[in-house]
């Protein structure tokens, strides 16, 4: 059973590893659509910290991941799911209900997010770190 999931996976953290491992455990293969730099810019008005090449490199190095492709548009989800022959789409529950329309071509499963960790929060913390001068 092939699982497909999508995400930015910027400033990769334990919440990302956890959802990918849990997604993989629901099937036999995990395909990951990593959202492009341009897609992120259009959504959030800023580019990710890590480039799409680096984010794809990191995600593809994980043992839970079998294949990585670039997600260039949110509107192409149905095409990606068909192209990559998804048996199930797995997403974190911050997307709860948002992808139910794909139930006609694959199972749609939402998994609980890992609490207390997010890329946005890490960026904020790092921004405010003060370096002690010796
Ligand atoms: N996630 C999680 N726990 C966290 C943070 C993230 O389980 N503490 C999950 C999200 O729910 C998502 C995946 O990790 O399923 C990737 O999260 P993001 O990188 O924030 O990706 P996002 O911007 O939600 O995806 O088509 C969707 C787009 O690709 C954007």
């Amino acid at each position: 059973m092939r699982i497909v999931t999508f995400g930015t996976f910027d400033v990769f953290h334990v919440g990302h590893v956890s959802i990918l491992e849990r997604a993989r455990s629901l099937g036999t293969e995990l395909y990951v659509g990593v959202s492009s730099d341009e897609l992120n810019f259009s959504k959030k008005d800023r580019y990710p910290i890590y480039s799409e090449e680096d984010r794809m490199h990191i995600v593809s190095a994980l043992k839970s991941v079998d294949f990585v492709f670039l997600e260039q548009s949110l509107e192409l989800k149905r095409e990606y799911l068909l192209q990559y022959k998804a048996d199930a789409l797995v997403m974190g529950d911050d997307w709860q209900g948002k992808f139910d329309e794909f139930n006609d071509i694959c199972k749609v499963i939402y998994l609980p997010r890992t609490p207390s960790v997010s890329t946005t929060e890490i960026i904020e913390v790092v921004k405010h770190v003060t370096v002690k001068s010796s």
Side-chain angles (χ1 to χ4, degrees):
M1 167 153 155
R2 181 175 296 164
I3 309 290
V4 174
T5 191
F6 296 88
T8 309
F9 304 103
D10 191 24
V11 189
F12 198 84
H13 59 65
V14 71
H16 295 144
V17 184
S18 171
I19 196 146
L20 293 173
E21 287 179 346
R22 285 177 291 147
R24 174 64 176 73
S25 74
L26 297 175
T28 51
E29 281 185 305
L30 178 62
Y31 280 31
V32 184
V34 172
S35 53
S36 70
D37 292 341
E38 289 308 325
L39 170 53
N40 272 271
F41 187 77
S42 69
K43 242 176 35 177
K44 299 183 187 163
D45 233 22
R46 69 163 180 83
Y47 285 105
I49 306 283
Y50 296 168
S51 69
E52 63 196 28
E53 289 81 15
D54 288 354
R55 290 180 289 111
M56 289 177 80
H57 190 171
I58 290 167
V59 172
S60 66
L62 299 169
K63 66 171 186 273
S64 53
V65 174
D66 297 286
F67 184 75
V68 171
F69 59 95
L70 193 64
E71 179 191 28
Q72 291 184 288
S73 162
L74 293 178
E75 278 71 54
L76 289 176
K77 261 208 183 64
R78 178 174 293 275
E79 282 68 22
Y80 292 127
L81 292 170
L82 290 171
Q83 180 181 350
Y84 294 111
K85 300 186 177 10
D87 295 303
L89 165 65
V90 170
M91 293 296 294
D93 62 4
D94 44 327
W95 293 96
Q96 188 70 46
K98 298 265 166 53
F99 300 120
D100 290 355
E101 64 189 282
F102 304 127
N103 262 314
D104 60 336
I105 51 169
C106 63
K107 264 206 231 177
V108 180
I109 301 166
Y110 304 97
L111 296 178
R113 271 172 75 90
T114 302
S116 316
V117 57
S118 78
T119 298
T120 311
E121 213 172 293
I122 294 168
I123 294 170
E124 282 309 305
V125 170
V126 172
K127 260 193 207 161
H128 295 102
V129 168
T130 47
V131 181
K132 244 184 169 179
S133 53
S134 50

